[in-house]
Amino acid sequence: MKYTRRTFLALTGASAGLGLPRRGFALGDATPLVTREASLQLLPEGYPQTRIWGYDGAIPGTEIRVPQGARVQRQLVNDLPEATSVHWHGIRIDNAMDGVSGLTQDPVPPGASFDYDFIVPDAGTYWYHAHNRSFEQVARGLRGALIVEEPQVPDVDRDEVLILDDWLINPETGQIADNFDQPMMMSHGGRTGNYVTTNGQYKLTVKARQNDRLRLRLINAANARIFALRLQGMAGWTVALDGMPLAEPQPIADTLLLGPAQRIDLFVDISAAPGETAALLNVETDEPFPQVAFAVAGQGASVSRAAPLPLPPNPRMDAPDLATAAPFKLFMSGGAMGRMDSAVLHGERKGFRQLAGAGYFWALNDVVNMPDTPLAKVSLGTHVRLSIINDTVFPHAMHLHGMHFREVTNRQTGPMRDTLLIGAGETRKIAFVADNPGKWLFHCHMLEHAVSGMTTWVEVA
């Protein structure tokens, strides 16, 4: 998509330290993943510490890094005051391990535990996060990176995991605002913070050398923010989207838009001279700032390298057959300034005022919240195409669990993704092969939208 300011406004609904990623556990390490409260210096020095909820009490949670095809075993131990669960976002996983409270498992009560045990079939950049009251628990800090490495290491000098996030914080107290179910956030663009971080740090700075080639794994872990990013002092290529490698690396010429829950893998070559600073610029506002700064000291290679080769493909990446695909439709309605007069909640039609009074503002196919019947029930191996009509004035980041899809444009299918950013008033089409049995959630990853109505599911029998 070519970036313009109009594009960004349509998609966002907007109005006018030195750090390296921590390496993960060794293969076979079954160290428990403990959710607990902790106090951290999230704001700059001089401000109070912030009380967060974190995996192992850290922001972000401990990076889990394993080779493709590995078995991941983690026992979730819940040391929080409310129930929780873990969703392994983007992994084409066994349904029982997907971590969706109320659909694939019961939420894990305080003081209890749950054993996650699954195989990672695909290399790429993924993440894990809370999936019970996620609009609150993710905003409090429950997320971390899950990195699945290719069998052969790509030709890069360093691999950087960059988890982009924002926080809604009272600067006087240093504490996260606890108005998680505030109606304005629910009915508008979602919870957007006033403090932006990368890997839990404000204006993260990373060391680099001129002509270094870095792999940047960008993960948007924010509840609702759409990051608009531009390269400065480096040239780059997009090599994977939502964990899935592109057939050919795509040179970066325009601004990158990264919706909630989306990931982009970049290869970048540092062109800034020693003593200068390259940057991944945040250009959401009229005053860009470094989301991540790269302090250039010394020189790596004497000359820049040739364009990178593509990453090896993952299994089961064949495009769906559009001619035989079963058609379905998803109609989005509601929200502030929307045209939804009523919708069905728990089998009964309610007016918009009644729905809003109960905390619901959005509907999918005229139904609010999780319906009893799936959006689509198909047999294993069915090819599916889905038209998504956004009849609202806000963007939505629609995420499909358990499978990846391709966007359909002019009867052609694009790259594989698991989360699609759909602008206000847009109609988009996706297609996928229903190749993973189970009940799979399909919801808006603006997490306030999901909890206030935008949730459905697909059953692969």
Side-chain angles (χ1 to χ4, degrees):
M1 175 185 294
K2 184 174 176 59
Y3 174 87
T4 65
R5 181 166 178 80
R6 178 176 294 179
T7 301
F8 178 64
L9 292 175
L11 285 169
T12 61
S15 59
L18 175 64
L20 296 175
R22 289 170 293 175
R23 304 300 290 185
F25 294 115
L27 180 62
D29 187 340
T31 305
L33 196 63
V34 183
T35 56
R36 61 183 177 87
E37 295 183 275
S39 290
L40 302 177
Q41 192 62 51
L42 191 61
L43 295 174
E45 292 294 333
Y47 287 89
Q49 288 194 332
T50 302
R51 194 76 176 165
I52 60 95
W53 292 3
Y55 293 108
D56 304 314
I59 296 295
T62 305
E63 179 186 303
I64 300 174
R65 184 178 286 255
V66 296
Q68 184 176 7
R71 181 180 180 183
V72 174
Q73 294 174 289
R74 288 291 181 273
Q75 182 183 61
L76 171 67
V77 178
N78 185 11
D79 197 21
L80 295 173
E82 65 183 44
T84 191
S85 64
V86 179
H87 170 53
W88 308 91
H89 189 113
I91 295 293
R92 297 191 281 186
I93 201 171
D94 180 76
N95 191 240
M97 295 290 105
D98 197 43
V100 180
S101 297
L103 184 66
T104 67
Q105 71 169 91
D106 294 329
V108 181
S113 64
F114 184 90
D115 293 330
Y116 290 98
D117 187 345
F118 55 90
I119 302 296
V120 286
D122 302 312
T125 300
Y126 307 97
W127 64 303
Y128 62 96
H129 61 82
H131 220 295
N132 185 58
R133 292 182 56 82
S134 55
F135 68 103
E136 174 187 353
Q137 294 188 5
V138 173
R140 289 187 182 273
L142 287 174
R143 69 292 217 164
L146 171 58
I147 305 302
V148 184
E149 296 183 324
E150 295 85 5
Q152 295 183 339
V153 179
D155 179 23
V156 295
D157 295 299
R158 202 165 68 248
D159 184 319
E160 295 281 352
V161 179
L162 302 173
I163 301 180
L164 283 52
D165 207 347
D166 66 357
W167 308 79
L168 191 57
I169 296 182
N170 182 331
E172 294 184 1
T173 65
Q175 301 313 304
I176 296 170
D178 61 2
N179 57 341
F180 300 104
D181 57 358
Q182 204 268 349
M184 181 73 75
M185 297 178 191
M186 297 284 187
S187 61
H188 286 68
R191 183 184 177 96
T192 303
N194 56 356
Y195 185 65
V196 176
T197 63
T198 304
N199 294 349
Q201 298 184 46
Y202 178 63
K203 294 185 178 179
L204 174 68
T205 298
V206 176
K207 285 185 177 180
R209 300 174 302 176
Q210 188 180 33
N211 293 329
D212 271 355
R213 175 165 289 176
L214 308 181
R215 180 177 188 164
L216 306 184
R217 301 176 183 262
L218 309 183
I219 302 172
N220 184 350
N223 274 36
R225 181 181 292 275
I226 299 169
F227 286 90
L229 306 166
R230 189 173 295 163
L231 303 183
Q232 177 179 278
M234 49 187 171
W237 298 262
T238 300
V239 296
L241 297 172
D242 292 349
M244 291 296 169
L246 301 183
E248 294 293 337
Q250 297 299 309
I252 300 169
D254 297 318
T255 296
L256 300 168
L257 293 182
L258 190 64
Q262 290 185 324
R263 288 91 63 214
I264 302 179
D265 282 46
L266 308 178
F267 284 179
V268 299
D269 289 348
I270 303 295
S271 56
E276 297 179 346
T277 300
L280 181 66
L281 288 178
N282 185 314
V283 294
E284 296 170 42
T285 67
D286 292 331
E287 297 182 5
F289 63 91
Q291 182 76 37
V292 182
F294 297 85
V296 181
Q299 190 175 59
S302 58
V303 295
S304 59
R305 304 179 214 193
L309 297 173
L311 295 171
N314 282 323
R316 296 170 20 225
M317 289 190 67
D318 292 340
D321 182 356
L322 300 180
T324 63
F328 295 91
K329 182 178 291 186
L330 185 69
F331 186 83
M332 304 174 175
S333 57
M337 299 169 283
R339 295 181 287 185
M340 185 177 77
D341 297 324
S342 66
V344 175
L345 174 63
H346 304 316
E348 296 184 15
R349 182 161 294 279
K350 305 283 188 180
F352 186 77
R353 287 183 178 271
Q354 291 175 292
L355 294 170
Y360 296 104
F361 300 94
W362 309 90
L364 299 177
N365 285 354
D366 201 35
V367 177
V368 169
N369 215 18
M370 182 75 91
D372 294 329
T373 57
L375 167 68
K377 183 175 182 179
V378 297
S379 300
L380 185 66
T382 300
H383 294 226
V384 176
R385 54 186 170 91
L386 175 65
S387 295
I388 306 174
I389 301 97
N390 182 3
D391 190 36
T392 80
V393 300
F394 293 96
H396 302 289
M398 295 303 295
H399 170 52
L400 177 63
H401 287 221
M403 294 170 286
H404 277 65
F405 53 77
R406 295 176 184 268
E407 185 171 6
V408 180
T409 306
N410 298 326
R411 299 183 182 180
Q412 300 294 319
T413 55
M416 292 185 78
R417 300 212 71 153
D418 60 49
T419 307
L420 181 66
L421 186 60
I422 305 173
E426 285 188 338
T427 294
R428 308 280 282 278
K429 298 178 182 179
I430 63 173
F432 61 92
V433 180
D435 58 1
N436 200 357
K439 298 179 179 180
W440 300 108
L441 200 66
F442 188 41
H443 66 104
C444 180
H445 222 284
M446 274 77 171
L447 298 177
E448 291 69 35
H449 295 175
V451 74
S452 59
M454 300 192 79
T455 304
T456 187
W457 56 294
V458 172
E459 183 171 6
V460 182

